[in-house]
Amino acid sequence: MWTKEETVALYLSKTVSQTKLRKVIETSDSLEAYLEMASKSELKDLFNDKINFMQKIGEARAEAQRQLEFAEKGSYRVLTFWDSEYPTLLQKIQYPPCVLFCKGTLQPPDSVSISIVGTRKCTTYGKLMSEKFAQTFVQNNIIVTSGLAYGIDLASHLAAVKANGITYAIIASGLDCITSSQTRKVTDKIIENNGAIISEYKFGTKALPNYFPQRNRIISGISVATLIIESDIKGGAMITARFAFDQNRAVFALPGNINSPKSQGTNFLIKQDIAKIAISAEDILTELGIVTDNLEFKGSKNHKPVGDEIDQKIFDFILDEPMHIDVVSTELHIDVPELLVRLLNLEFNGFIKQLPGKFYIRS
């Protein structure tokens, strides 16, 4: 049997592609056994020549040992394609990573994940929709997967954690190279809540621009479906959507304002029949066959009574666009001191949310 060190060494040697690496491992019992049985022409095809390979694999073995020791000391995990914990859906994509570096808790390999991705510079509406979908997914025992980027990604991760759900963050660097203090705090929350941080890049690897598209194939590949909340026409989320489409995974997109650049990507995906319209989380879960009727669906709607007649009047007035307290006071003829108390009560009971600058919006 191939040892983990041999597999990681071959992975780190960069002498073979992921496809060829799988061929080598799946057709032999060990690295030494493969070298004994392989013909000279096969070795030349895979590694240029045997001498060159032996030099590189020797260096890679030393590096693999360092990586595995670092993982053990730092409570990380190094997972190979052949390990029983490797996510089942990810194994089925065209170019699955042969090695994954993980921190946190990986759920059973056949667990259901839906990825939520979108622009870093999201609107308030986009952020709120990310939170709403993520919350409802985890209420229905779905893992929320995203890329730990600012904007839609972080909003989705945090909403999943807040709802006591599981979330996976797929990153484009080594697990020890998360530089932002904000994202490090989010990763801590994800791990504390039994989620996981996952990368195909070894420890010590800094994020580079070309790593992000490769990372995106894992986000879509580990998920049964991908939801695009907001994206411009050339956004990174569009790459994830394309990967999901090519992987024969379901793609959904939140429709948006046709005049907003942040909705050009999602509207394009819908127009081109790449994505289905995402109106609600319930529609997505029903489309995927995860729930079959309303009796099974665990929604995030609040069915508690809003309050008295005035509270109901305020709630009915505040919709899905931010509304300033002065506008509410003027239009409903309610003094600001009384209105503040009532708004606080509505917020406490989960009916509305307060935004910076005394703006309010429905939860």
Side-chain angles (χ1 to χ4, degrees), residues 338-349:
E338 179 188 354
L339 182 58
L340 277 170
V341 174
R342 290 182 176 275
L343 288 170
L344 182 62
N345 183 58
L346 288 171
E347 184 179 9
F348 179 79
N349 285 288

Side-chain angles (χ1 to χ4, degrees), residues 250 252 276 281-291:
F252 297 90
K276 295 182 179 180
E282 181 179 6
D283 287 344
I284 292 177
L285 297 181
T286 303
E287 176 74 24
L288 295 174
I290 295 172
V291 299

Side-chain angles (χ1 to χ4, degrees), residues 210-311:
N210 61 314
Y211 290 171
F212 288 91
Q214 293 302 310
R215 179 277 308 268
N216 292 351
R217 88 188 191 286
I218 300 176
I219 293 176
S220 59
I222 206 170
S223 301
V224 69
T226 293
L227 169 63
I228 318 298
I229 294 290
E230 286 182 327
S231 175
D232 63 35
I233 203 70
K234 293 184 178 180
M238 298 292 282
I239 298 174
T240 309
R242 175 54 68 179
F243 272 125
F245 185 78
D246 291 342
Q247 292 162 348
N248 291 319
R249 305 292 163 80
V251 183
F252 297 90
L254 183 75
N257 188 331
I258 62 172
N259 296 314
S260 171
K262 293 178 177 61
S263 294
Q264 287 182 0
T266 52
N267 292 342
F268 174 82
L269 291 172
I270 294 168
K271 181 181 178 182
Q272 296 298 316
D273 289 329
I274 295 172
K276 295 182 179 180
I277 294 177
I279 300 299
S280 70
E282 181 179 6
D283 287 344
I284 292 177
L285 297 181
T286 303
E287 176 74 24
L288 295 174
I290 295 172
V291 299
T292 56
D293 57 50
N294 289 335
L295 295 177
E296 296 180 49
F297 179 72
K298 296 178 182 177
S300 58
K301 295 178 181 178
N302 197 325
H303 296 292
K304 294 182 295 183
V306 173
D308 62 21
E309 184 178 344
I310 298 177
D311 285 341

Side-chain angles (χ1 to χ4, degrees), residues 115-122 126 130 145-147 149-154 156 215 219 226-232 235-238 240 262 266:
S115 56
I116 302 177
V117 294
T119 180
R120 294 170 181 262
K121 298 179 180 179
C122 61
S130 300
T145 296
S146 198
Y150 289 107
I152 298 299
D153 291 17
L154 283 184
S156 302
R215 179 277 308 268
I219 293 176
T226 293
L227 169 63
I228 318 298
I229 294 290
E230 286 182 327
S231 175
D232 63 35
M238 298 292 282
T240 309
K262 293 178 177 61
T266 52

Side-chain angles (χ1 to χ4, degrees), residues 84-93 108-111 221-222 249:
S84 59
E85 303 96 328
Y86 194 100
T88 303
L89 279 179
L90 190 58
Q91 285 180 321
K92 297 178 180 180
I93 68 173
D110 57 352
S111 298
I222 206 170
R249 305 292 163 80

Side-chain angles (χ1 to χ4, degrees), residues 76-145:
Y76 298 100
R77 295 184 63 196
V78 180
L79 206 65
T80 75
F81 179 87
W82 299 270
D83 288 330
S84 59
E85 303 96 328
Y86 194 100
T88 303
L89 279 179
L90 190 58
Q91 285 180 321
K92 297 178 180 180
I93 68 173
Q94 189 171 6
Y95 300 108
C98 289
V99 175
L100 290 174
F101 300 84
C102 313
K103 185 157 190 176
T105 305
L106 285 174
Q107 301 304 305
D110 57 352
S111 298
V112 179
S113 160
I114 295 177
S115 56
I116 302 177
V117 294
T119 180
R120 294 170 181 262
K121 298 179 180 179
C122 61
T123 65
T124 299
Y125 173 72
K127 180 176 181 291
L128 290 172
M129 291 300 100
S130 300
E131 294 170 347
K132 183 176 182 179
F133 277 93
Q135 177 185 355
T136 307
F137 288 154
V138 300
Q139 286 175 341
N140 287 271
N141 301 315
I142 308 294
I143 299 169
V144 171
T145 296

